[in-house]
Each structure stands twice: as structure tokens, then as C-alpha cells.
Amino acid sequence: MGAVSALNGEPTGTLGLPRVPPARPKGRRPSIADVASFAGVSHQTVSRVLNKHPSVREITRARVLAAIEQLGYRPNSAARALASGRTKTLGVVALDTSLYGPVSTMFGIQSAAQRSGYFVSVVAVHSIDRLSVTEAIRRLSAQAVEGIAIIAPFGQAHDALSDLPTGTPVVAVEGDPEADVSVVTVDQVAGGKMATEHLLARGHETVLHVAGPDEWLEARGRTAGWREALLAAGADVVPPLAGDWTARSGYEAGQVLAKIPDASAIFVANDQMALGVLRALYEKERRVPEDVAVVGFDDIDEAAYFIPPLTTVRQDFQRVGAATVQVLVDQLRTGSRHQEHVVIEPELVCRQSSEAR
Amino acid sequence: MGAVSALNGEPTGTLGLPRVPPARPKGRRPSIADVASFAGVSHQTVSRVLNKHPSVREITRARVLAAIEQLGYRPNSAARALASGRTKTLGVVALDTSLYGPVSTMFGIQSAAQRSGYFVSVVAVHSIDRLSVTEAIRRLSAQAVEGIAIIAPFGQAHDALSDLPTGTPVVAVEGDPEADVSVVTVDQVAGGKMATEHLLARGHETVLHVAGPDEWLEARGRTAGWREALLAAGADVVPPLAGDWTARSGYEAGQVLAKIPDASAIFVANDQMALGVLRALYEKERRVPEDVAVVGFDDIDEAAYFIPPLTTVRQDFQRVGAATVQVLVDQLRTGSRHQEHVVIEPELVCRQSSEAR
DNA sequence: GTCCTTGGGGTGAACGGTAACATGCTCGCG
DNA sequence: CGCGAGCATGTTACCGTTCACCCCAAGGAC
């Protein structure tokens, strides 16, 4: 057995392996074949060990593992991908922004993918038009990712999904539940509703709304929830002002709202804009929460340190990421292309900005 | 010529190609060989066209391109990587955080890599210990990335760099300029200095400092710049309070500083902590900038909407990303492992929080 | 006319794995 | 005692490219 690898009388270790690995000719990294001849087995046996195939004797496995260790062998992922057709890589299309939600979602997906043994390749898109998304998907499929998560959460993204390589599982994260792809999403409508109901329950006659950009499905959902809650309570529905998620736009909206004398409660579609609203109210000397109550959305790290600390709606992005990877991996495993629709419930976090008057 | 591919009398297009591509047996994606036989050339000629080799006649190239188009051929990146040894992928080790700086840096790298024709594979690390970084690098090198950018900007990261696959170019972004790897960094010392000098020039006797976590090189650099400026001006150096970048820690530091009666100027090592400081000062009824001037660091989008708008130091992360990719690509192209040290200068953005009294 | 170069293109062998099948051996069972 | 059923392992093909090398015709130098 082990004698094969010790023919030339080299000193041998306990497993019958030569102690000094032979240098590979070209300084190239050792391949499975090198490991095989070093361990005195066939390359296939090495492959079996690498893939944890059950029918390998313990002693053989130990020899192979020792050889791998000695030679410093690392599997070549390109070769593996070529032979098996599997790249163990998921693609993520992310919006090039430091917005809390998209970034957190991306890391949520990354960390879940890692736990499932997948690599993550990221393509950032600078804007939300169909062309960019199509191009991003093209890039990812050129890289032969096994599944794709699209975070850019706006209506147009779905158009681009038709250009997909058929057979590649896709999840639209924060996507349109009506679209004909799998979707993992936080229940934005419920979030908008609970924020609004919270304010109504505090005795406000109605709730004004600073919405996000209308292309964003999240913005639409939050607005829909707000409207629903108002209608259910029979409250006035004042047309919302739309911002662009930035504090600046929130500030501008806040300047308008501050001029409305009987404005007493505002639901802002994200925390950054809420910051701008707070600032506008402060400048107009409308106290929060005494004169005006404000609720945001996202629960960014800073929300608890706004002046005053912001009541807001928290989304669990780790769960979003985990669900996204779960859907992709399931579809990969079963081969089914059944459309999953996972909805994750948000949670209201009460702070000073909406305290009872 | 074209007759070869039209032997069976099928209708042919202008280039002599059959109009209907033959379905591949197993529903598999078309390979270079399919394109070759469809276009009536050898697989090598197709490869030459794909790689823009000069010595291919224009007419031949056109035929091949038409065949590629017709069959919907896409190169198989795994096969290409296996044969050529190049993956066209860069790896990024990023800290799992929505902090503005790291996230912006990551996108800066991503977008620069994309422009240079590289894919980007991201591995997030949840903490900054050596083990995590080593593991991240292990994952990336298992994926055979051609170069690695490490964003996690703390001292310990450098220890892990010794575990690298030799020969893989590495750039430590925001890394220690003293370390023996290539580094791309913003001049934090200059940033801290200009913030402090700005405040001193406004007539403040000295400048207090809320520092970042001491493991972070950026925090150390900013503190060093602050100290340097104070010493140069002969001002008192009050030991800094260290936070952890969060608004909460800034708030806590602010509560302490607000109790110091003659505190009149504070340099805070990032904008989030500055937000916390502002809140603490507000609660203690110390007006900004009338009683206390505050300067932050980063220029996050919201900084202009803090109460009051925050004077801060801006870093150009697009340039950081571009420089990082540049260094990696250069090393890949030339094969040299010369250690580059690129330093990018930050810029002071003056707003109300530090206005003259 | 012969030789050498150069453009255009073909042939076969890597590249480093996995998959399918073949082989020898041991064991339990009728 | 023969025989099928595993188990443990080896053999050979194949994945889709690129690389090194070869071939042929046309053209210019001598």
C-alpha cells in the first residue's frame, strides 16, 4: 500500500507519506492529481474525500487528508465549476447607495449566503432604470451565478427580469408581490398602517404623510398602509408630499407641513427624511412631540438619538437576507421554480417623538 | 465557403448561415464548438474572435459574430478561468456594518472594478479580529480572486495578511501606512488637523475631542491630527473620550463634555457620534454654535440637516475605490509587487455648527 | 526559382476537476 | 457452493476554453 509512495527510500511519516512534498514543476499550485500520487491513491478517491463521499475507508481518508495538508492543496473552484456546472455563487444586484435599508439587506443576504456555503458576487447599479438592471443581470449571468437576488426595489426592475437566463432562480427583494417572480419583502403596508394607527390612537385627528419616491415599491406600500389606516378610521386623507429618501427632501417637505396650523401628526416614510422634517419643525418652532408628533420608518442606528428620539418602524434585514437565500437555495435544490412569496412583519419602536400630548 | 453550413439545403442568411439554430442535445447552453460548426470555422477561430485577436479576416469575424448572436452563445467563465488561470474577479473584505465610510468605500471599489472589467466578490466580516479576516481571505482565495481589497481598517487586520496566498496582490484600504502591504488611504491626520485648526482659527482656546475606537486606524489618525494641531498652537490637550462610532456613544460622550463649563469647541471623529453630541448639548441647553462649536468627520448625506447643519470633513470614496482598483490592476498587469501607498486628501466642509461666535 | 516571412486559420493537448461505469473483494443467503 | 449486493477503489470520458504548435498560400528578397 503505502510502499508505492516511498519507493525511493525517502523518510516516511506515520501514514507512509514522504515527509517532503515534491516541488511541482512550474511552481503551480498542487492539483488533485498531485495529492493522489502523493497519497498513493487515484485522483477519484481524492475527489471523494473532498466531497465527503461516504464510501471511503477511514484510513484512506486520513492518508488523503494528510497529503492535502502536506502539499497545501486547495481545490480549484474554476475546474470544479466547469466539471460540475455549479459555481456556488449567488449574485446580488444592489443599488449604489449608502441608504440603510438596501445596505442592510445586502449584508443580510451576504451573511446568510455565507452560512449556506455560497459566495456572493455583487453588482451595483447607479440608478433604477431597466437598462442598468438588465446590464447588471447580464454581468452576473456571465459569471454563471446560480441564483440572483435583486435588491433594487422599484417597479421597473421587474421589466428587466424577463431578460433573465431561463432556469436561474431569482428573488426580488422588496419587490412587487404582484410580479411573476419570487419575492421576499417586508410588509410595508402593515408598517405604514401600524405607524399611522399608532398616531391616531394618540388622539390625532389625522396624520400627514411624507412619502418616498413613487417608483419605490416600499414607498408605495407605506403610503398605502397610511391611507388604509386613515380610511378605516374615517380620518381626512391629505395628499402626501413625496421626497427622495434624503434628509434634504424631508426638510423641504417639513417646511411645507410646518405651515399647516392644524398639522399635529406626521408619518414620514424613512428615518432620514424624518430627520429633515424634525429640523424644519424645529426651525418653525413647532415642538416635537408637544405640537407635532412624528413617526419614521427603518429604525436606523441614529434614530434613537434624533431630537427628540424617533418613533419608527423596524425591519429585520437579517431575516430578509436569510429568507432570500433560503428561497434561492430551495429552488436550486429542488429544481422547482415555484414562486415563493415571503412576507416579513415589521415592528413599531416607540420613542419620544410620538409621545402622548 | 458558406456552403459547408448549408449542405442540407436549409434556408440561409446573408452570411451563409442557417437561419434556425440547431437545438443542442441536452438543452445545454451552446459552446464555442457549436458556434464554430455553425459558422463553419474551427473552435480556435471563434476563440480568436472572442478575444479580439487581430489576425482574423473581417468577413470571418462577421460570420462568427452572427453565429454567436443566432445561437445566443455566452462564454463560460469557469472554462475560461480554468484554461487561462484568470478569473477576472477581485475580492473585497468588508465590515458587516452600515457605517457610511466602509459602505461608500465598498461601492467605490465595486464601481471602479466594474469599469475595469472585473467582477467583485464580497465577503463580510462581523468583527475585526484576526480570525475573521483570515477566514474571509481563505474564502476569497478559494474562489481564486486575482486581487484582494481589505476594507476593515484596523490594526489587527494586518496580522492576517501574512496568511495570504503568495502572489495575490492585496490592498489594505484605510490600512496602516507602516504595514508591509500596499495601502490606499485618506489622510486622516490631515483631516483631523484641518478640523482642529478650523476651530482654533475661530478663536477657541482649545478643542475637545471625541475619538473613534482606538483599534480603528482612522480613529487614531484623526486623533493624531487633532493632537498635532493643538500642540502646534500651544493649546491644552485634554485627553479625548473614545466612542464606538455610534450616535449612542457620541451622546454619552456629549453628556460628559456638556458638563465642562469652558468647553467651547469639540471635534468629533465621525458624523454619527457628532449627532449624539449635538443631542447631548441640546439637552444640557448648550447652544451650538453659540456656546459650543462642533465639527464632525465623513460628511454623510444627513450632516447638512443636523441641528444645526454640521461642519465636517469629507472623504472622496469614489477616488479611494478607483485608486484601490488601480493598484490591484497595475500589480496584476506588471506582475510587480511593489508596495504602493496612495494617500487621498480630505476636504473641510464648513456649515453652521462651527460658525464664528 | 527558391527561400523566408507573414497573415489567416486549423489541430490536439492541456487546465483540474466530476460523473459514469468497471473492477475486485467480502459477506449473507438460499 | 454459487451468486447477487454492497463497499472501496480505479479507469476513462467529458466539461468549455486557451495555448502551443502546425499548416498553407501569397508575396517579397535574393
Side-chain angles (χ1 to χ4, degrees), chain B residues 42-45 48 56-57 60 82:
Chain B
S42 78
H43 63 117
Q44 179 62 321
T45 299
R48 278 192 262 259
V56 176
R57 266 186 311 170
T60 312
L82 176 58

Side-chain angles (χ1 to χ4, degrees), chain B residues 188 192 209 211-212 218-228 240 267 269:
Chain B
Q188 307 292 345
H209 180 41
E218 285 154 308
R220 287 190 210 167
R222 291 169 199 177
T223 299
W226 161 78
R227 190 183 310 270
E228 221 170 89
F267 165 47

Side-chain angles (χ1 to χ4, degrees), chain B:
Chain B
M1 283 186 52
V4 178
S5 54
L7 278 178
N8 44 10
E10 281 174 13
T12 59
T14 51
L15 286 159
L17 263 39
R19 281 227 185 74
V20 182
R24 269 204 78 160
K26 311 260 296 191
R28 211 190 294 122
R29 277 175 50 178
S31 80
I32 208 172
D34 302 312
V35 174
S37 72
F38 191 67
V41 297
S42 78
H43 63 117
Q44 179 62 321
T45 299
V46 176
S47 174
R48 278 192 262 259
V49 170
L50 290 171
N51 295 301
K52 309 202 190 309
H53 188 97
S55 69
V56 176
R57 266 186 311 170
E58 199 46 55
I59 177 76
T60 312
R61 179 193 316 279
R63 278 181 62 81
V64 170
L65 289 176
I68 286 172
E69 174 75 16
Q70 281 262 319
L71 298 177
Y73 165 81
R74 313 297 294 275
N76 178 318
S77 59
R80 184 175 287 203
L82 176 58
S84 71
R86 309 205 45 199
T87 55
K88 278 285 178 184
T89 301
L90 298 179
V92 174
V93 179
L95 200 55
D96 180 0
T97 166
S98 60
L99 286 177
Y100 182 76
V103 168
S104 303
T105 305
M106 198 197 69
F107 280 124
I109 293 173
Q110 147 70 39
S111 107
Q114 197 157 325
R115 280 195 298 278
S116 299
Y118 280 83
F119 300 111
V120 172
S121 192
V122 176
V123 171
V125 293
H126 47 288
S127 95
I128 55 180
D129 56 292
R130 174 177 178 161
L131 188 65
S132 305
V133 175
T134 303
E135 166 65 11
I137 289 177
R138 206 191 52 68
R139 282 177 55 81
L140 286 176
S141 70
Q143 213 186 353
V145 296
E146 293 185 42
I148 297 179
I150 301 183
I151 300 181
F154 40 85
Q156 298 99 304
H158 296 86
D159 304 341
L161 265 41
S162 50
D163 306 341
L164 278 176
T166 53
T168 302
V170 171
V171 173
V173 188
E174 301 300 344
D176 184 355
E178 306 295 314
D180 56 346
V181 288
S182 292
V183 169
V184 171
T185 180
V186 172
D187 192 341
Q188 307 292 345
V189 176
K193 210 162 154 182
M194 69 177 63
T196 309
E197 284 169 351
H198 167 78
L199 287 167
L200 291 173
R202 288 273 180 289
H204 300 279
E205 291 205 353
T206 191
V207 178
L208 301 179
H209 180 41
V210 178
D214 194 53
E215 315 87 85
W216 288 63
L217 297 164
E218 285 154 308
R220 287 190 210 167
R222 291 169 199 177
T223 299
W226 161 78
R227 190 183 310 270
E228 221 170 89
L230 290 186
L231 293 176
D236 278 357
V237 179
V238 179
L241 276 65
D244 62 1
W245 296 135
T246 67
R248 167 180 291 277
S249 68
Y251 175 67
E252 287 160 2
Q255 286 179 313
V256 174
L257 296 180
K259 287 181 190 149
I260 304 177
D262 56 348
S264 78
I266 307 176
F267 165 47
V268 189
N270 80 338
D271 289 353
Q272 264 86 5
M273 292 197 298
L275 177 65
V277 168
L278 289 179
R279 175 161 160 68
L281 292 173
Y282 174 83
E283 283 183 356
K284 302 287 181 192
E285 300 186 340
R286 308 280 308 257
R287 290 165 306 163
V288 178
E290 294 84 350
D291 302 334
V292 184
V294 176
V295 173
F297 208 110
D298 268 355
D299 194 24
I300 63 175
D301 296 341
E302 291 75 34
Y305 298 90
F306 286 3
I307 303 175
L310 186 69
T311 295
T312 189
V313 180
R314 174 187 297 158
Q315 312 180 69
D316 188 338
F317 293 107
Q318 284 295 316
R319 279 178 58 201
V320 171
T324 301
V325 172
Q326 190 63 50
V327 169
L328 290 176
V329 169
D330 281 353
Q331 299 210 349
L332 245 25
R333 193 165 38 78
T334 65
S336 102
R337 291 298 172 269
H338 179 72
Q339 281 172 32
E340 301 281 350
H341 282 208
V342 179
V343 176
I344 288 168
E345 291 306 316
E347 173 194 1
L348 186 72
V349 179
C350 293
R351 298 204 184 89
Q352 193 184 335
S353 72
S354 67
E355 263 174 20
R357 293 181 279 194

Side-chain angles (χ1 to χ4, degrees), chain A residues 249-273:
Chain A
S249 69
Y251 175 66
E252 287 160 2
Q255 286 179 313
V256 175
L257 296 180
K259 286 181 189 148
I260 304 176
D262 55 347
S264 78
I266 308 177
F267 164 47
V268 189
N270 81 336
D271 288 354
Q272 265 85 6
M273 293 197 298

Side-chain angles (χ1 to χ4, degrees), chain A:
Chain A
M1 281 185 49
V4 178
S5 54
L7 278 177
N8 46 10
E10 282 173 12
T12 60
T14 50
L15 287 159
L17 266 38
R19 282 229 183 72
V20 181
R24 268 203 80 161
K26 312 262 296 190
R28 212 190 293 122
R29 279 173 48 177
S31 79
I32 206 173
D34 301 313
V35 174
S37 71
F38 191 67
V41 298
S42 77
H43 62 123
Q44 181 61 303
T45 299
V46 177
S47 174
R48 279 192 261 259
V49 170
L50 289 171
N51 295 302
K52 311 203 188 308
H53 188 98
S55 69
V56 176
R57 268 188 312 168
E58 199 46 54
I59 177 77
T60 311
R61 178 192 316 280
R63 279 180 61 83
V64 170
L65 289 176
I68 286 172
E69 174 76 16
Q70 280 262 318
L71 298 177
Y73 166 81
R74 313 296 293 274
N76 179 321
S77 59
R80 187 180 292 219
L82 177 58
S84 70
R86 309 205 45 197
T87 56
K88 278 288 180 183
T89 300
L90 298 179
V92 174
V93 179
L95 200 55
D96 179 0
T97 166
S98 60
L99 287 176
Y100 182 76
V103 167
S104 304
T105 305
M106 197 196 70
F107 280 123
I109 292 173
Q110 148 69 39
S111 108
Q114 198 157 323
R115 279 195 299 277
S116 300
Y118 280 82
F119 299 111
V120 171
S121 192
V122 176
V123 171
V125 293
H126 46 289
S127 93
I128 55 179
D129 57 292
R130 174 176 179 164
L131 188 66
S132 305
V133 175
T134 304
E135 167 64 12
I137 290 177
R138 207 193 50 70
R139 282 178 55 82
L140 286 176
S141 71
Q143 214 185 354
V145 297
E146 292 185 42
I148 296 179
I150 301 183
I151 299 180
F154 40 85
Q156 297 99 306
H158 295 87
D159 303 342
L161 266 40
S162 49
D163 307 340
L164 278 176
T166 52
T168 302
V170 172
V171 172
V173 188
E174 300 303 343
D176 184 355
E178 305 296 312
D180 55 347
V181 288
S182 292
V183 170
V184 172
T185 181
V186 172
D187 192 340
Q188 307 292 345
V189 177
K193 209 161 155 182
M194 68 177 62
T196 309
E197 284 169 350
H198 167 77
L199 287 167
L200 291 173
R202 288 276 180 288
H204 300 279
E205 292 205 351
T206 189
V207 177
L208 301 179
H209 180 40
V210 178
D214 193 53
E215 314 87 83
W216 287 64
L217 297 164
E218 284 154 309
R220 288 189 209 166
R222 291 169 199 177
T223 299
W226 161 78
R227 190 183 310 270
E228 221 171 273
L230 290 186
L231 292 176
D236 277 357
V237 179
V238 180
L241 276 63
D244 63 2
W245 295 135
T246 67
R248 168 179 290 276
S249 69
Y251 175 66
E252 287 160 2
Q255 286 179 313
V256 175
L257 296 180
K259 286 181 189 148
I260 304 176
D262 55 347
S264 78
I266 308 177
F267 164 47
V268 189
N270 81 336
D271 288 354
Q272 265 85 6
M273 293 197 298
L275 177 64
V277 168
L278 290 179
R279 175 163 159 67
L281 293 173
Y282 173 82
E283 283 183 358
K284 302 287 181 193
E285 299 185 341
R286 308 280 308 258
R287 291 165 305 163
V288 177
E290 294 83 352
D291 302 331
V292 183
V294 176
V295 173
F297 209 110
D298 268 355
D299 195 24
I300 63 176
D301 295 341
E302 291 75 35
Y305 298 91
F306 286 2
I307 303 174
L310 187 69
T311 295
T312 189
V313 180
R314 176 186 295 158
Q315 311 179 71
D316 187 339
F317 293 107
Q318 284 294 315
R319 278 179 59 200
V320 171
T324 301
V325 172
Q326 190 62 51
V327 169
L328 290 176
V329 169
D330 280 354
Q331 299 210 350
L332 245 24
R333 194 166 36 77
T334 64
S336 102
R337 290 298 173 272
H338 179 71
Q339 282 171 32
E340 299 282 350
H341 282 207
V342 179
V343 176
I344 289 167
E345 292 305 316
E347 173 194 1
L348 187 72
V349 179
C350 294
R351 299 206 182 89
Q352 194 185 331
S353 71
S354 68
E355 263 174 20
R357 296 181 279 193

